């Protein structure tokens, strides 16, 4: 069975990595210029010719691509290979609007699955493992990506897809799953269901989880790790760059190593587009240097993030990205203050609540309102009005300390907030509906 610890690449020194990236980038720019009229027009407009790109140091000269471009060019406008050479189409989940589609040649599918295989290997996966894939299958890349990676590592793969949670647990027990792959919100739901079925982590054989596709906090990680008795690893990616596996966590769990032999990252100022120095927080941009059918150059992810290069205890030299702090469009501006759902999640879990909550923002009498419904567990539940009010006040105070603005907290009865089997919807911004 192939070994997916790619030491030659994953531990490559920086100069060599830059050389490899540069060689691939030069070829890729040529390929895109010749085959994608949409991007060629952007380069021409900026006055950039393929010959101007000689190494990664010239990357900043290229024009950006955005989600709006993908929507405009939908469906075939960014395709760089004839459809007869393509073997797959996947699509985004459509979290923030109209879906976009991505195309893959067999080379692209292999590249993607290799990246995921590195991620599974970094989480300790080998051909001895039973890997339960509970991401949704279909056009969404989660299921297909982890499925393909699991095959490459040689794990015994259980293509469960998401949903039917009790059956997930039943199979987990009957077939001895050791690795669980799904969204973190679904992992939390599976953990909760396990306990409701009267079971404990001792009743299952899971040792690791590979969770991604949505933002999740360190507090959420600890909640999941405890409820399932596992080590939980983060994995990042987006359909536009192939899918999950662009970056993955190693045993150190302090950020995700980017597969930078395939995806060159940059951090830019989202307002000005200027490239920011390493360590700054800004918008993450990727250039896919080795993909054939859908090779996006300088694609703006809208994910806010930070890059750091340093020695990692796992031995990998691949640059690391921090957990994305959310998309630039997840950030809510409430009464002039920038608020991320993850900040609220952190406080809730610290205060002993489960990560079942819903944030509603509205505007009344020209002032923004922030309402947070938080579910009580059966033990926290009380039918004494005064008890509940005291708890709501305490929680609102803790959130105010974190955000600087006061929310209205509503503690709601156990099980009243819908659980997620895929990407959780945590925010309803009604101001957008009025606009
Ligand atoms: P959509 O943009 O419609 O949700 P995708 O399914 O392609 O489509 O999702 C990609 C997005 O999911 C990323 O841009 C990012 O915002 C989010 N994402 C993926 N993995 C993670 C992760 N590990 N942590 C935080 N956010 C993530
Ligand atoms: Zn590492």
């Amino acid at each position: 069975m192939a070994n997916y610890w790619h030491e030659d690449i994953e531990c490559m020194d920086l100069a060599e990595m830059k050389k490899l990236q540069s060689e691939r980038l030069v070829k890729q720019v040529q390929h895109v210029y010749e085959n994608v009229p949409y991007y060629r027009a952007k380069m021409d407009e900026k006055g950039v010719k393929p010959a101007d790109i000689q190494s990664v140091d010239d990357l900043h000269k290229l024009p950006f691509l955005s989600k709006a471009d993908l929507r405009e060019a939908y469906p075939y406008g960014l395709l760089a290979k004839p459809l007869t050479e393509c073997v797959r189409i996947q699509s985004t989940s459509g979290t923030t609007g109209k879906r976009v589609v991505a195309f893959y040649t067999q080379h692209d599918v292999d590249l993607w699955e290799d990246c995921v295989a590195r991620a599974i290997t970094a989480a300790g996966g080998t051909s001895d493992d039973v890997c339960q894939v509970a991401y949704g299958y279909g056009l969404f890349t989660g299921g297909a990506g982890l499925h393909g990676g699991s095959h490459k590592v040689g794990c015994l793969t259980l293509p469960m897809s998401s949903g039917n949670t009790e059956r997930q647990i039943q199979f987990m027990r009957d077939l001895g799953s050791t690795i669980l792959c799904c969204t973190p919100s679904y992992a939390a739901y599976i953990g909760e269901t396990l306990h409701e079925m009267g079971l404990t982590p001792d009743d299952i054989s899971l040792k690791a989880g590979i969770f991604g596709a949505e933002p999740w906090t360190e507090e959420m990680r600890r909640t999941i790790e405890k409820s399932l008795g596992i080590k939980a690893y983060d994995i990042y990616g987006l359909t536009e760059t192939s899918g999950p596996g662009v970056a993955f966590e190693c045993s150190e769990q302090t950020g995700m190593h980017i597969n930078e032999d395939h995806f060159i990252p940059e951090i830019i100022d989202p307002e000005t587009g200027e490239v920011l120095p390493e360590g700054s927080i800004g918008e993450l941009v990727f250039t896919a240097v080795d993909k054939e059918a859908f090779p996006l150059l300088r694609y703006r992810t809208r994910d806010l993030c930070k890059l750091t290069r340093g020695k990692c205890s796992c031995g990998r030299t691949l640059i690391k990205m921090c957990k994305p702090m959310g998309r630039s469009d997840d950030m809510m501006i409430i009464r002039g203050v920038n608020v991320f759902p993850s900040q609220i999640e952190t406080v809730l879990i610290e205060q002993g609540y489960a990560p079942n909550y819903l944030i509603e923002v509205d505007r009344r009498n020209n002032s923004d309102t922030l309402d947070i419904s938080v579910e009580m567990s059966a033990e926290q539940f009380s039918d004494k009005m005064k008890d509940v009010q005291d708890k709501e006040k305490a929680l609102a105070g803790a959130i105010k300390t974190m955000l600087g603005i006061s929310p209205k907290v509503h503690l709601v009865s156990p099980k009243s907030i819908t659980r997620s089997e895929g990407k959780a919807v945590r925010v309803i911004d009604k101001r957008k509906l009025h606009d």
Side-chain angles (χ1 to χ4, degrees):
M1 191 44 71
N3 179 358
Y4 276 90
W5 163 230
H6 290 164
E7 192 175 355
D8 53 334
I9 297 282
E10 295 181 61
C11 301
M12 200 175 239
D13 76 47
L14 182 56
E16 257 186 277
M17 179 57 78
K18 267 186 93 169
K19 191 162 158 267
L20 176 68
Q21 289 174 331
S22 297
E23 282 165 13
R24 289 182 172 175
L25 176 67
V26 169
K27 271 201 220 142
Q28 187 71 301
V29 172
Q30 190 71 42
H31 168 57
V32 171
Y33 193 79
E34 278 166 18
N35 296 293
V36 185
Y38 189 95
Y39 197 77
R40 187 193 314 141
K42 276 189 172 270
M43 283 177 64
D44 288 345
E45 195 183 315
K46 226 183 156 207
V48 191
K49 292 278 167 248
D52 297 326
I53 310 300
Q54 295 294 331
S55 82
V56 283
D57 295 331
D58 298 321
L59 191 57
H60 67 98
K61 296 178 183 163
L62 289 169
F64 291 117
L65 269 176
S66 67
K67 197 112 172 177
D69 288 312
L70 264 67
R71 289 185 177 135
E72 193 181 312
Y74 177 91
Y76 301 122
L78 289 160
L79 192 61
K81 281 277 181 188
L83 277 176
T84 50
E85 288 185 40
C86 296
V87 297
R88 179 92 65 84
I89 295 178
Q90 304 267 180
S91 157
T92 59
S93 331
T95 314
T96 58
K98 189 177 150 196
R99 291 159 188 260
V100 300
V101 287
F103 300 84
Y104 306 70
T105 60
Q106 187 57 49
H107 163 92
D108 296 335
V109 172
D110 281 331
L111 181 160
W112 175 24
E113 293 179 352
D114 284 352
C115 288
V116 179
R118 285 184 192 169
I120 296 174
T121 303
T126 69
S127 54
D128 293 335
D129 281 295
V130 180
C131 183
Q132 180 159 343
V133 183
Y135 281 105
Y137 280 62
L139 286 171
F140 172 52
T141 52
L146 271 297
H147 181 100
S150 171
H151 270 237
K152 291 232 162 170
V153 174
C155 302
L156 182 56
T157 309
L158 230 66
M160 294 292 294
S161 193
S162 61
N164 209 333
T165 309
E166 291 199 3
R167 198 181 62 190
Q168 299 272 359
I169 293 170
Q170 171 94 46
F171 273 114
M172 196 178 275
R173 297 186 73 200
D174 294 350
L175 304 174
S177 305
T178 52
I179 299 178
L180 174 66
C181 309
C182 59
T183 59
S185 53
Y186 194 38
Y189 181 23
I190 294 176
E192 183 185 9
T193 309
L194 180 84
H195 293 267
E196 281 170 5
M197 289 166 75
L199 302 170
T200 72
D202 291 340
D203 297 307
I204 53 175
S205 314
L206 283 187
K207 62 174 192 191
I210 303 178
F211 306 132
E214 62 183 358
W216 52 311
T217 56
E218 285 300 330
E219 291 73 18
M220 177 92 156
R221 185 203 310 264
R222 283 192 283 279
T223 303
I224 298 171
E225 287 188 332
K226 194 157 154 248
S227 73
L228 291 171
I230 57 171
K231 195 156 166 157
Y233 296 84
D234 203 352
I235 185 166
Y236 170 90
L238 56 164
T239 312
E240 296 90 319
T241 55
S242 61
V246 169
F248 59 93
E249 237 173 20
C250 63
S251 52
E252 202 181 270
Q253 294 182 305
T254 54
M256 294 177 268
H257 289 288
I258 296 175
N259 282 313
E260 56 178 327
D261 51 330
H262 299 304
F263 306 103
I264 306 179
E266 295 170 280
I267 292 286
I268 61 159
D269 178 329
E271 303 294 326
T272 64
E274 181 201 348
V275 179
L276 300 177
E278 206 179 288
S280 321
I281 295 175
E283 181 178 349
L284 188 56
V285 171
F286 281 111
T287 296
V289 283
D290 204 19
K291 283 173 64 192
E292 294 178 338
F294 203 66
L296 302 188
L297 305 182
R298 298 198 88 201
Y299 181 65
R300 296 182 59 156
T301 63
R302 298 188 291 177
D303 290 321
L304 295 177
C305 188
K306 185 167 91 176
L307 298 176
T308 42
R309 195 183 286 283
K311 246 190 149 33
C312 186
S313 59
C314 75
R316 289 178 184 80
T317 50
L318 296 174
I319 198 164
K320 277 190 192 174
M321 60 183 270
C322 70
K323 269 183 174 303
M325 293 147 198
R327 308 185 196 212
S328 45
D329 39 6
D330 276 346
M331 190 184 78
M332 305 170 278
I333 303 182
I334 304 174
R335 285 172 236 147
V337 175
N338 297 348
V339 175
F340 282 102
S342 57
Q343 294 173 296
I344 296 173
E345 182 175 295
T346 297
V347 177
L348 296 184
I349 299 180
E350 270 172 10
Q351 298 290 318
Y353 293 89
N356 300 312
Y357 60 96
L358 185 68
I359 301 168
E360 287 175 83
V361 188
D362 204 350
R363 184 172 290 128
R364 281 179 224 131
N365 305 324
N366 290 322
S367 171
D368 294 329
T369 56
L370 171 61
D371 286 76
I372 309 172
S373 302
V374 182
E375 202 178 275
M376 291 175 281
S377 62
E379 300 79 60
Q380 286 163 333
F381 183 72
S382 158
D383 50 13
K384 289 199 195 78
M385 189 86 129
K386 172 86 173 61
D387 272 4
V388 174
Q389 282 170 347
D390 286 349
K391 283 186 183 151
E392 285 176 342
K393 238 171 107 184
L395 190 50
I399 294 171
K400 180 171 183 211
T401 307
M402 167 69 105
L403 304 180
I405 53 169
S406 293
K408 196 156 175 35
V409 169
H410 311 269
L411 288 180
V412 298
S413 47
K415 294 273 158 215
S416 56
I417 289 181
T418 315
R419 302 292 187 269
S420 158
E421 295 172 350
K423 296 194 189 219
V425 178
R426 311 268 197 207
V427 180
I428 300 176
D429 194 337
K430 294 182 178 156
R431 297 175 302 183
K432 292 184 181 155
L433 302 176
H434 307 323
D435 291 343

